[in-house]
Amino acid sequence: MMKNKHLLILTFLFASINLNAQQFFGGHPLGQDWQILSSPAVRVIYPNGMNYQAQRIARITNYIDKNNRRSVGDKERQIDIVLQTQTTFSNGYVGLAPFRSEFYGTPPQSNLSLGSLNWLDVLSIHEYRHVLQNINAKNGIVNFFYYLGGESYWAVVNNLVLPNWYYEGDAVISETALSESGRGRNPFFTLQQRALINENINYSYLKNRNGSYKDLLPNHYPLGYMMLTYLRNHYGNDVVATILKESTSFNGLFYPFSKAIKRHTGIKNTTKLYQNAWEEFKEKNKTQLKNTNLIPTTPLFKNSPKTITTYSYPISLNDNTVIARKTSYNTTDELVRIIDGKETKITSIGINNDNFLSYNQNLLAWTESTRNPRRGAQNYSDIILFDLKTNQKQRLTQSTRYFSPSISPDGAQIATIHISPLEQFKLCILNAKTGKIIKTFDNPKNRFLSRTAWTLDGKNIISIVKENGKLCLIKINTKNGKTTELTPWIAHTIETPFVTKNRVYFNASFSGIDNIYSTDLQGSKQIRKETSVKVGAFQPSIYKNQLMFTEYSSKGFNISTQKLTTNNSFISFKEPNKMEQYNTIANQTEGGNILNKIDSTTTYKSKNYKGLFTGLKLHTWGIIPSLSVSSINLRAVNILNDLAINVSTEINHNENNRIIYGGNMVLSRYYPEITFSISQSNRQTVFENNINNQYDILNFDETKLGLKIGTPLTWYKGNYITNFEPYVEGNQFVLNNSKTVFNQKKFTAYHTGFSFSSIKRTAFQNIGPRGGFALNISKRASIVNNENANKLNLNSTLYLPGISKNHFLRIRGEYQKEKLSNPYQFSDYYNYPRGYNAPLNDEFTSISFNYGLPLAYPDFGFAGMAYFKRIKANLFYDYGVGKLNNENIKNEFKSQTYNSIGTEILFDNVYFNVLPISAGVRYSHLLKENLIGNSSGGFQFILATNLSF
């Protein structure tokens, strides 16, 4: 019974915490001029100056709404789309609670995954498919839960019924079927799957579904695309709409999605569907390789790494030394030097959204991300330089939006691409010492630019340009800006130019496998194939008169070399990009390319979008269980996500299930964040009765009015994320109880303090942070009479690296002071030494040592109920001293020591293929018995949703 209770609580906790993980509350710069465009299918809220892009989004989504619903359903509901342009990260999502979408408008520099499609066109097709999926999932029990609890309940049941691979695989099919490109036609999209096939590795459906901490697996995008392609090709394109409707109606209480598949296809379950799809995909891949003349390659390292590792942009400094970027499952981004196969770290690379790297004249250049400290939706991409002679790192630009910086042959200039918040694309040349702009090239058609490279004479810059769903490699003269096209305009992917004296090398998808190609610098547009590998070759350069590049395998991106040849024949390729080996029946039956059918004359009306309460929407109502405080909530938020209102009735389990009625309004549009709150509660606390010198339980009613002003700030610097929030809060208390113990029945209290943390980001396998510090100080007291209510809290945490890369040490110190003789007791959230119940105290000081490490990666599951991904351990020692200041108690009770040692064993599991939960057992051995109160040493069940010990 207890396990079911915990699982239910975590199900709803998952819904309330994780659904809006990509949103930034109060993230927009103050004064942003917003417009709103209204159309039948969508409302687009966008910055002034982005009307063309907003109209394009509305036209595409409305066209799909009218013409491309047959494989998803016919339900309709208008949705709000917020077009974000201040962020440099490329993303998009459709969220529930509230039901809305956000497009992060800055396109990614890499063309590998998305290919030649316009970024906002991709988002319009892909994300609107998610809109249709969600509204057509509101059937039967899903609809019942929506009416019961609102969009949070809708989200929970959707995610429990529909696998994540359905959502993303179906959306990728849409973007592929409704365009001439899309991820379904790009070989980079199936890279992991083809690497596993090449090495005859076959993982189970459960492992593919839930992931692994040790092995490389395709994520749910290619997994879903493969499985749904098989389903559509063999059982009809429209069968997925029927499966969606019946599974969300719970036509079959257990495993409704699998049962719907069985009813309409005869396939036993999703596991069998995966097996069938995997076998068919393997056969297609083997057939493709049979018709491919492969060219052998030589790995730079003799032994492949034990941990999944990615090397990128290998650069030769001389005949023996190679510089490259590196990241792995147990290390974050870094620069490494490789000499004769032996590797040493040069420096770390900070938080970034692109792995580009360039070199010239002992200088290395890349970009790192920073952000507006107060506004999470406004961030930047700055150029970083590293001098190999001095080992000095320099941030060349501050709060800029530069991408793909390339150092000129003389080291004096940097070619880079600038993308403005209004999506204006410019090629710029900067001074490599000052970061000042020397020259900006005209781009009258505002064509998207990606990647840069200099010709060896420094007179030209090579880049990739995108227009109307096509890509072209171009050469730009640095003196007169004249442009020369080096390749035809194509729908295949082109990426990462590398220039030699007479040729430019790049990787492209012409053969259905990413390989290295080259063309001359004169503009003949004749393309020569340089490599022919089984899975994929990328990021070319020259090393020891050989072609060097990264090559993909089941262990990640490794560095390979191959002999340079001059007699390769020129290739021919088909346009548009068909990629028949990855084809699906949807490409013929969904309607084909819609992007050339969009009516550009349709114009939707726009107007100013202003007002704090404009777009305020009630999105959740219902029960939110919790181990400490369960509640019934009404939640509302405005469209720009800077005003939230919550009204609730709560049950405080820590105070004998007492009832709390309350609500709050959080306003985050302005620089400080302001919270107004009100509550009426029935409290129960322990206090020291001065009349009989006993510790009594006090029951009383409390009314509280509150006003809090805080300023949440966040910085990115290198590998560290720093948070700082100073705050001050005032509360008016009105108290009433049958025993007259309060000095004042009305009093005003303040709560002030700050929280600070600077934590190093973690790699995928890291148990916890391997560097960082956190400090929280909080003081609460009544203003007129401090003896009525007064509490001080202080805690600090130090994170240090452990012995191995995935180990870490956490040292935590805490201090709390609140006299039990105070008539009013604030809520107690102190972390007492493990194994002890919360002891009576006027003052408590403690320190704890925790050492976390992984034990095993089982990658084992059963029946879709639970999947064991990782077992980890925490060894701890806790020490605390509690003091009582009552003169009438014995001296041995006035100061008590509490210390314990123990172990926590936790299982990082995934339940029902959707809920990531850490659960396990704790064993506490008490080194000293508790003389006041009961102890709870021994074994204890522990549970957390995201536990880092």
Side-chain angles (χ1 to χ4, degrees):
M1 182 65 181
M2 181 60 69
K3 291 182 179 179
N4 292 335
K5 176 185 175 184
H6 287 321
L7 192 57
L8 176 64
I9 290 170
L10 284 165
T11 299
F12 286 92
L13 187 64
F14 170 81
S16 61
I17 291 176
N18 292 334
L19 290 175
N20 297 326
Q22 300 182 77
Q23 299 182 24
F24 299 102
F25 187 69
H28 306 114
L30 184 63
Q32 174 78 64
D33 186 3
W34 293 97
Q35 305 286 306
I36 183 169
L37 174 158
S38 186
S39 71
V42 299
R43 287 186 297 264
V44 185
I45 297 91
Y46 62 95
N48 194 11
M50 295 289 289
N51 184 66
Y52 171 81
Q53 291 87 343
Q55 292 285 348
R56 175 76 174 174
I57 292 168
R59 289 165 186 157
I60 293 174
T61 53
N62 278 278
Y63 184 93
I64 295 171
D65 192 58
K66 290 180 180 179
N67 301 286
N68 301 101
R69 287 173 153 273
R70 56 180 293 179
S71 60
V72 68
D74 56 6
K75 290 191 174 184
E76 296 181 333
R77 179 172 173 175
Q78 191 182 48
I79 189 172
D80 296 306
I81 298 174
V82 179
L83 177 58
Q84 305 268 20
T85 62
Q86 294 285 343
T87 175
T88 57
F89 290 90
S90 307
N91 204 349
Y93 73 91
V94 173
L96 296 175
F99 182 47
R100 69 200 292 270
S101 179
E102 288 195 16
F103 291 4
Y104 296 173
T106 302
Q109 277 288 290
S110 175
N111 298 303
L112 285 172
S113 180
L114 296 176
S116 61
L117 284 181
N118 175 279
W119 170 239
L120 290 179
D121 287 358
V122 174
L123 287 180
S124 299
I125 299 173
H126 185 101
E127 301 305 332
Y128 193 67
R129 185 66 174 194
H130 289 324
V131 173
L132 296 178
Q133 291 165 347
N134 279 292
I135 61 178
N136 282 282
K138 279 179 81 268
N139 302 296
I141 292 181
V142 175
N143 216 24
F144 168 77
F145 274 97
Y146 169 76
Y147 287 112
L148 182 65
E151 292 174 359
S152 287
Y153 281 39
W154 179 14
V156 168
V157 183
N158 269 13
N159 283 279
L160 287 174
V161 174
L162 299 171
N164 58 357
W165 57 257
Y166 161 76
Y167 285 107
E168 298 303 347
D170 183 64
V172 171
I173 286 177
S174 292
E175 76 184 50
T176 306
L178 302 182
S179 72
E180 289 187 349
S181 185
R183 275 171 280 194
R185 292 190 180 93
N186 295 338
F188 187 81
F189 182 66
T190 60
L191 205 62
Q192 294 93 343
Q193 292 162 315
R194 292 184 291 110
L196 297 178
I197 293 170
N198 180 50
E199 298 173 46
N200 198 29
I201 299 173
N202 299 283
Y203 293 127
S204 68
Y205 169 70
L206 280 180
K207 186 164 180 171
N208 274 267
R209 178 77 169 87
N210 294 290
S212 172
Y213 280 108
K214 65 175 180 178
D215 294 318
L216 185 145
L217 291 166
N219 64 27
H220 49 293
Y221 287 75
L223 173 65
Y225 185 79
M226 179 189 74
M227 294 176 68
L228 292 175
T229 293
Y230 178 90
L231 199 63
R232 290 179 184 231
N233 284 348
H234 288 270
Y235 300 98
N237 187 59
D238 302 333
V239 69
V240 287
T242 304
I243 291 170
L244 171 64
K245 183 176 181 179
E246 291 190 3
S247 60
T248 51
S249 298
F250 275 79
N251 191 346
L253 185 59
F254 298 102
Y255 308 107
F257 192 78
S258 281
K259 289 185 176 179
I261 290 174
K262 183 177 181 180
R263 276 193 300 272
H264 295 282
T265 67
I267 300 173
K268 183 178 180 181
N269 50 34
T270 50
T271 298
K272 187 60 178 177
L273 171 61
Y274 165 76
Q275 293 169 348
N276 293 349
W278 180 237
E279 290 302 317
E280 182 174 89
F281 186 81
K282 286 197 297 183
E283 287 304 313
K284 288 182 178 180
N285 186 73
K286 291 175 182 177
T287 300
Q288 180 186 20
L289 290 178
K290 284 180 182 178
N291 300 322
T292 302
N293 294 319
L294 300 173
I295 300 175
T297 64
T298 302
L300 191 65
F301 298 98
K302 293 181 180 179
N303 299 317
S304 61
K306 296 180 180 179
T307 304
I308 306 301
T309 303
T310 289
Y311 293 94
S312 57
Y313 289 92
I315 299 165
S316 175
L317 303 189
N318 52 49
D319 285 346
N320 295 314
T321 303
V322 172
I323 300 288
R325 290 182 66 142
K326 176 190 174 183
T327 185
S328 73
Y329 275 15
N330 58 21
T331 59
T332 56
D333 291 355
E334 58 189 20
L335 277 177
V336 295
R337 180 184 283 110
I338 305 163
I339 302 176
D340 296 329
K342 295 182 179 181
E343 176 187 306
T344 56
K345 178 182 176 180
I346 299 174
T347 187
S348 61
I349 294 177
I351 297 167
N352 64 90
N353 59 3
D354 190 15
N355 67 347
F356 189 80
L357 180 68
S358 74
Y359 167 81
N360 250 319
Q361 297 298 320
N362 287 304
L363 288 176
L364 291 156
W366 66 89
T367 58
E368 291 185 7
S369 298
T370 58
R371 55 161 279 173
N372 180 323
R374 178 63 182 88
R375 306 299 183 183
Q378 185 178 49
N379 48 59
Y380 310 101
S381 178
D382 292 325
I383 296 174
I384 307 296
L385 293 182
F386 186 85
D387 191 323
L388 287 170
K389 284 187 176 180
T390 64
N391 287 328
Q392 294 296 310
K393 187 186 295 183
Q394 174 193 1
R395 184 175 295 275
L396 184 67
T397 65
Q398 299 284 342
S399 301
T400 53
R401 296 169 59 92
Y402 289 125
F403 303 86
S404 300
S406 292
I407 303 170
S408 63
D410 62 3
Q413 298 177 332
I414 293 176
T416 186
I417 293 161
H418 180 264
I419 304 177
S420 77
L422 294 180
E423 304 297 310
Q424 298 296 311
F425 310 110
K426 297 289 186 180
L427 177 64
C428 303
I429 296 179
L430 309 183
N431 184 302
K433 291 185 178 180
T434 66
K436 301 297 183 182
I437 296 177
I438 298 172
K439 188 171 185 177
T440 299
F441 296 92
D442 292 334
N443 186 11
K445 293 184 178 181
N446 198 34
R447 301 187 298 190
F448 173 67
L449 297 163
S450 62
R451 302 308 187 207
T452 59
W454 292 80
T455 56
L456 299 189
D457 58 11
K459 296 180 179 180
N460 299 277
I461 298 170
I462 308 299
S463 187
I464 303 169
V465 66
K466 180 188 293 186
E467 184 180 21
N468 296 327
K470 302 283 186 179
L471 292 171
C472 182
L473 191 68
I474 62 171
K475 179 178 69 174
I476 303 171
N477 187 286
T478 57
K479 286 188 176 181
N480 57 28
K482 180 183 177 182
T483 297
T484 303
E485 295 177 359
L486 302 182
T487 65
W489 286 89
I490 53 180
H492 291 270
T493 59
I494 301 178
E495 178 71 2
T496 320
F498 177 84
V499 184
T500 60
K501 183 177 181 180
N502 298 312
R503 302 191 69 77
V504 55
Y505 293 80
F506 55 94
N507 60 266
S509 61
F510 299 129
S511 69
I513 299 174
D514 285 298
N515 270 293
I516 309 300
Y517 296 83
S518 72
T519 188
D520 60 71
L521 291 170
Q522 285 68 49
S524 70
K525 301 183 181 180
Q526 293 181 313
I527 298 173
R528 199 168 66 191
K529 188 173 184 179
E530 302 291 347
T531 68
S532 184
V533 299
K534 289 183 177 181
V535 182
F538 309 88
Q539 299 160 349
S541 61
I542 303 298
Y543 170 67
K544 292 183 177 181
N545 295 318
Q546 298 182 85
L547 187 61
M548 180 169 61
F549 46 90
T550 56
E551 187 174 3
Y552 200 71
S553 74
S554 67
K555 289 296 183 181
F557 287 92
N558 301 311
I559 302 174
S560 295
T561 61
Q562 176 191 297
K563 290 182 179 179
L564 272 174
T565 59
T566 58
N567 57 355
N568 289 340
S569 58
F570 297 117
I571 67 162
S572 60
F573 50 87
K574 294 180 180 179
E575 283 289 323
N577 179 4
K578 293 295 186 182
M579 293 294 177
E580 296 295 340
Q581 63 270 37
Y582 308 127
N583 207 358
T584 169
I585 192 174
N587 292 354
Q588 291 82 41
T589 57
E590 287 283 354
N593 180 22
I594 66 168
L595 297 178
N596 57 11
K597 301 175 185 178
I598 304 300
D599 183 6
S600 60
T601 63
T602 301
T603 301
Y604 301 100
K605 291 183 179 181
S606 296
K607 62 181 181 180
N608 291 334
Y609 189 78
K610 296 181 179 180
L612 187 60
F613 291 90
T614 303
L616 185 67
K617 175 186 176 184
L618 176 66
H619 62 79
T620 293
W621 51 91
I623 299 172
I624 305 295
S626 169
L627 293 175
S628 56
V629 181
S630 298
S631 62
I632 300 174
N633 283 265
L634 298 176
R635 296 182 179 182
V637 68
N638 66 354
I639 296 302
L640 292 180
N641 206 33
D642 53 21
L643 174 70
I645 297 175
N646 180 55
V647 178
S648 65
T649 299
E650 301 176 339
I651 301 175
N652 190 337
H653 305 303
N654 292 336
E655 294 191 6
N656 200 21
N657 296 323
R658 297 308 172 100
I659 305 297
I660 307 169
Y661 303 98
N664 63 64
M665 181 175 73
V666 185
L667 173 60
S668 195
R669 176 167 297 186
Y670 307 104
Y671 198 81
E673 186 171 273
I674 304 171
T675 303
F676 303 91
S677 61
I678 182 171
S679 67
Q680 170 67 48
S681 58
N682 184 241
R683 297 284 311 279
Q684 183 181 87
T685 62
V686 176
F687 81 107
E688 180 184 337
N689 193 327
N690 293 325
I691 298 175
N692 56 20
N693 293 315
Q694 298 293 322
Y695 294 101
D696 291 344
I697 294 176
L698 176 64
N699 298 300
F700 63 95
D701 294 325
E702 173 186 290
T703 301
K704 182 172 71 171
L705 296 172
L707 172 64
K708 178 182 177 182
I709 300 175
T711 306
L713 303 172
T714 301
W715 294 267
Y716 299 154
K717 187 172 182 180
N719 267 326
Y720 282 79
I721 300 175
T722 299
N723 295 284
F724 176 62
E725 182 177 4
Y727 59 88
V728 60
E729 181 178 3
N731 291 290
Q732 176 68 38
F733 292 88
V734 179
L735 309 174
N736 184 42
N737 78 307
S738 57
K739 299 178 182 179
T740 306
V741 297
F742 297 118
N743 296 333
Q744 297 173 316
K745 289 193 175 183
K746 292 183 181 180
F747 71 94
T748 302
Y750 67 87
H751 177 199
T752 187
F754 69 86
S755 62
F756 170 85
S757 66
S758 186
I759 308 295
K760 187 177 183 180
R761 65 173 172 154
T762 58
F764 182 58
Q765 285 184 343
N766 293 168
I767 292 293
R770 291 171 53 79
F773 176 75
L775 175 65
N776 294 276
I777 297 177
S778 170
K779 177 65 182 289
R780 306 165 190 250
S782 56
I783 293 176
V784 177
N785 182 0
N786 284 342
E787 295 304 315
N788 192 50
N790 194 321
K791 186 169 189 172
L792 174 67
N793 281 94
L794 184 150
N795 67 71
S796 62
T797 305
L798 178 66
Y799 297 94
L800 297 170
I803 298 172
S804 180
K805 287 183 178 180
N806 290 324
H807 297 196
F808 87 113
L809 173 67
R810 188 190 75 179
I811 304 172
R812 181 183 178 92
E814 286 192 80
Y815 174 79
Q816 172 178 281
K817 184 176 182 180
E818 183 179 34
K819 293 181 180 180
L820 287 169
S821 58
N822 291 347
Y824 183 86
Q825 299 286 307
F826 292 100
S827 297
D828 188 358
Y829 300 109
Y830 196 87
N831 294 297
Y832 293 100
R834 279 160 283 196
Y836 297 93
N837 294 328
L840 296 174
N841 68 89
D842 292 302
E843 189 175 351
F844 208 96
T845 305
S846 65
I847 187 169
S848 68
F849 297 86
N850 297 266
Y851 191 89
L853 69 159
L855 298 178
Y857 304 99
D859 285 350
F860 166 77
F862 55 89
M865 302 294 290
Y867 189 82
F868 296 75
K869 293 180 68 173
R870 177 171 62 187
I871 304 173
K872 58 189 181 185
N874 180 50
L875 311 176
F876 67 84
Y877 169 71
D878 292 349
Y879 175 85
V881 176
K883 295 182 179 180
L884 287 169
N885 298 321
N886 190 330
E887 297 296 331
N888 298 305
I889 64 173
K890 297 179 181 180
N891 287 333
E892 63 262 32
F893 294 116
K894 289 184 178 181
S895 180
Q896 287 290 310
T897 300
Y898 306 84
N899 55 348
S900 62
I901 59 173
T903 303
E904 295 168 336
I905 304 296
L906 289 116
F907 298 85
D908 287 335
N909 291 355
V910 181
Y911 292 94
F912 303 116
N913 296 319
V914 67
L915 292 173
I917 299 172
S918 293
V921 294
R922 173 190 295 149
Y923 178 77
S924 306
H925 174 68
L926 307 186
L927 301 177
K928 184 176 176 60
E929 288 299 322
N930 185 5
L931 299 180
I932 301 178
N934 298 320
S935 302
S936 58
F939 287 99
Q940 181 184 6
F941 175 76
I942 53 177
L943 182 64
T945 53
N946 186 18
L947 188 61
S948 295
F949 302 116

